[in-house]
Amino acid sequence: MMPLRRFQMHQPKNVAEAAEMLAHYGEKGRLYAGGTELLLAMKHDLLRYEHLVDVKTVPGLDKIEAKNSSLHIGGTVTHRAIENSPLVRERLPVMAEMARQIANVRVRATGTLGGNICFAEPHSDPATLLLALGAKARVQGRNGERTLAMNEILVGAYETALAADEILTAIEIPLLAKSQRAAYLKFQVHERPTLSLALVLDVDASGNAITKARAVVGSVSLTPCRSDKADALLVGPRDKVEKQLADAAQVLAEAADPGDDLEGSAEYKRHLTGVFLRRAFAQALSGAPR
Amino acid sequence: MTDGMRIVALKFQLNGKPVEMECEAEETLAEVLRNHLNLNGTKVSCEVQVCGACTVLVDGLPVSSCTYLAYEARGKNVATIEGLEKPDGTLHPLQQAFIDDFAFQCGFCTPGMIMAAKALLDENPQPTRAEIIHHMDGNICRCTGYVPIVAAVQRAAGVMAKESKK
């Protein structure tokens, strides 16, 4: 067995104390939640920390609540808790369905939503859906609290806009209106998605026209990506939009600008974007409001 | 700033029996089980939470013990393959079903497979085939093939349902 390098474990009693610890240890310390990304990277010596700050000892960050027409998911809530939460399943089923598809049953039992976002792994299931849903991250550091949109917090591969002392305390997700439909789909042959695609559509009362759209393609480039131009092509009468899906996918893929890697060639990922946008469109419009 | 923990005072239930010991903060549950407690039934392979060979249950949930800190087991119930048989040596229905369905060849993945399946059946005693496949998706076997493994889980579910009616 590969041993982990030595570290000290710290148990902050509250967010302020955790922020102090992170500030004090700087690059020698890191916030630790489920460990399903961090400990693997540390075991393979890709990351070295002498101090881990166990955010799970901070009370109150493991709650899921609905307030002000949005869902608040605490930073240390596990994927499994999201998957099984009656509140999420009833109020935002697409989020529960996405959580059910993350990695494997062991990762879901320990991995957290906050950890997933803060690790900023480019092949993240939650990041893609959360960007489409217009979710925001609440973060807190020594100098107070701020709120960041998904495209603000995720700035690159394994890179976030968080300051060294900042902690993601919750993700706030606006609940879908009755006129909105959502779908999350992915293509995966390895342990992480090759491509993930999330789509949120606003439909008119007849259900035959789309009044607003938000499509996100993830896992194909450094951060999940969307495009105003692609979204504009997804608005209009349903039969017209169906004819424009290929164009919308092309524009979306251009914006994402996928690269060649072990998951496949850039051309392949552009192709998959088209396939999965079409499937997501059909799925979103097939069901009840999500 | 107070010092962090280098040494963790660890108290937990292991296969129903209390354990009290010390470990280092960076020691994984697999290291504690295999190196300190001499329980070698838990296998370690990929060390990146992909293969499932090291699956043990913590408070009933499957975890990858290769990259799950022993620190996390504080105050919890840990179940390993060694705890499945009854004191008289009778095998757990899952163990017996893996034999009856020839659900292993080399056997390296088997402890993890059985513990993962136990977590499923404890939560969902009558899973559909699709539910079994979804749940077992993260446990990799490289020689037996998955058909007999799924069959064994189905068989064990049937046996356990009959036993619970007795």
Side-chain angles (χ1 to χ4, degrees):
Chain A
M1 276 184 273
M2 286 180 280
L4 283 158
R5 282 175 186 272
R6 285 190 159 198
F7 56 76
Q8 291 183 21
M9 185 66 83
H10 298 263
Q11 299 185 312
K13 289 181 218 56
N14 49 52
V15 174
E17 195 182 356
E20 285 297 337
M21 287 172 171
L22 290 175
H24 180 76
Y25 292 114
E27 295 203 335
K28 290 185 175 173
R30 185 93 188 245
L31 204 70
Y32 159 72
T36 56
E37 305 263 28
L38 182 64
L39 294 178
L40 317 194
M42 287 175 68
K43 211 171 199 197
H44 289 262
D45 216 15
L46 298 168
L47 294 172
R48 291 183 189 177
Y49 297 106
E50 291 169 28
H51 301 272
L52 293 188
V53 178
D54 183 3
V55 67
K56 300 190 298 305
T57 60
V58 174
L61 297 183
D62 58 350
K63 290 198 181 81
I64 303 178
E65 295 169 304
K67 40 186 175 184
N68 307 330
S69 68
S70 63
L71 206 58
H72 291 224
I73 302 182
T76 66
V77 171
T78 62
H79 305 307
R80 177 188 156 88
I82 295 169
E83 174 187 356
N84 290 342
S85 157
L87 188 64
V88 179
R89 288 164 79 138
E90 189 199 319
R91 306 291 290 275
L92 199 60
V94 69
M95 187 71 191
E97 281 163 31
M98 179 280 299
R100 187 175 183 272
Q101 298 176 47
I102 294 172
N104 59 50
V105 69
R106 302 180 306 280
V107 170
R108 294 195 290 276
T110 39
T112 66
L113 184 62
N116 183 290
I117 297 305
C118 292
F119 201 77
E121 155 69 58
H123 300 266
S124 159
D125 291 278
T128 301
L129 177 61
L130 291 173
L131 178 58
L133 291 172
K136 292 191 162 85
R138 287 190 82 85
V139 305
Q140 200 178 323
R142 285 175 304 169
N143 300 324
E145 206 173 6
R146 60 183 181 137
T147 303
L148 296 168
M150 278 302 127
N151 57 350
E152 292 168 340
I153 189 168
L154 297 170
V155 295
Y158 312 102
E159 201 184 342
T160 67
L162 292 181
D165 67 324
E166 281 183 318
I167 289 147
L168 189 156
T169 54
I171 299 282
E172 294 178 4
I173 316 168
L175 291 169
L176 295 176
K178 280 205 167 60
S179 59
Q180 289 183 303
R181 309 283 183 272
Y184 173 76
L185 293 170
K186 66 170 163 178
F187 179 71
Q188 183 168 335
V189 287
H190 299 131
E191 49 273 10
R192 294 187 173 83
T194 294
L195 172 138
S196 44
L197 199 138
L199 181 64
V200 179
L201 300 174
D202 288 46
V203 294
D204 71 357
S206 72
N208 291 324
I210 291 107
T211 56
K212 202 176 157 203
R214 200 169 157 92
V216 174
V217 64
S219 308
V220 297
S221 40
L222 302 185
T223 59
C225 182
R226 52 171 298 278
S227 145
D228 286 337
K229 215 173 134 196
D231 289 349
L233 287 165
L234 297 170
V235 170
R238 184 174 173 164
D239 50 359
K240 177 174 169 252
V241 172
E242 273 167 0
K243 292 192 189 93
Q244 292 173 177
L245 284 174
D247 291 341
Q250 201 179 341
V251 172
L252 183 59
E254 267 166 36
D257 192 19
D260 300 323
D261 62 17
L262 290 175
E263 300 284 344
S265 67
E267 185 192 1
Y268 179 59
K269 293 174 195 173
R270 283 195 293 269
H271 168 73
L272 282 181
T273 305
V275 173
F276 279 80
L277 181 63
R278 188 172 292 282
R279 288 185 192 172
F281 185 79
Q283 181 171 316
L285 293 180
S286 69
R290 289 160 182 271
Chain B
M1 186 103 359
T2 54
D3 275 351
M5 276 188 245
R6 273 286 313 127
I7 302 295
V8 179
L10 201 56
K11 274 192 209 176
F12 63 104
Q13 293 283 316
L14 176 60
N15 297 325
K17 292 185 186 122
V19 172
E20 221 179 311
M21 61 176 289
E22 284 186 343
C23 73
E24 294 184 59
E26 67 277 4
E27 280 189 283
T28 64
L29 187 52
E31 285 169 330
V32 163
L33 291 170
R34 291 178 58 92
N35 302 346
H36 296 305
L37 301 168
N38 294 320
L39 295 178
N40 293 321
T42 300
K43 306 302 180 199
V44 173
S45 181
C46 76
E47 303 194 52
V48 283
Q49 305 214 354
V50 168
C51 77
C54 68
T55 304
V56 303
L57 308 188
V58 177
D59 283 353
L61 298 183
V63 304
S64 299
S65 63
C66 70
T67 35
Y68 180 90
L69 297 178
Y71 159 86
E72 294 293 348
R74 309 178 321 281
K76 294 187 175 157
N77 288 296
V78 176
T80 70
I81 190 72
E82 288 89 351
L84 285 196
E85 66 175 20
K86 287 183 189 159
D88 69 0
T90 311
L91 294 180
H92 185 280
L94 271 163
Q95 292 173 305
Q96 190 59 51
F98 268 64
I99 294 171
D100 294 342
D101 278 301
F102 304 99
F104 57 91
Q105 287 186 38
C106 85
F108 194 84
C109 72
T110 312
M113 287 281 177
I114 289 180
M115 296 315 289
K118 183 174 188 301
L120 172 67
L121 297 185
D122 287 348
E123 187 172 61
N124 178 6
Q126 292 298 312
T128 63
R129 192 164 188 278
E131 284 169 339
I132 295 171
I133 291 170
H134 175 74
H135 182 90
M136 302 296 290
D137 185 52
N139 285 74
I140 295 174
C141 171
R142 287 289 180 246
C143 64
T144 309
Y146 298 100
V147 171
I149 292 172
V150 173
V153 177
Q154 285 176 306
R155 180 196 293 264
V159 171
M160 288 162 76
K162 271 188 207 155
E163 278 184 1
S164 67
K165 274 183 201 153
K166 278 182 194 167

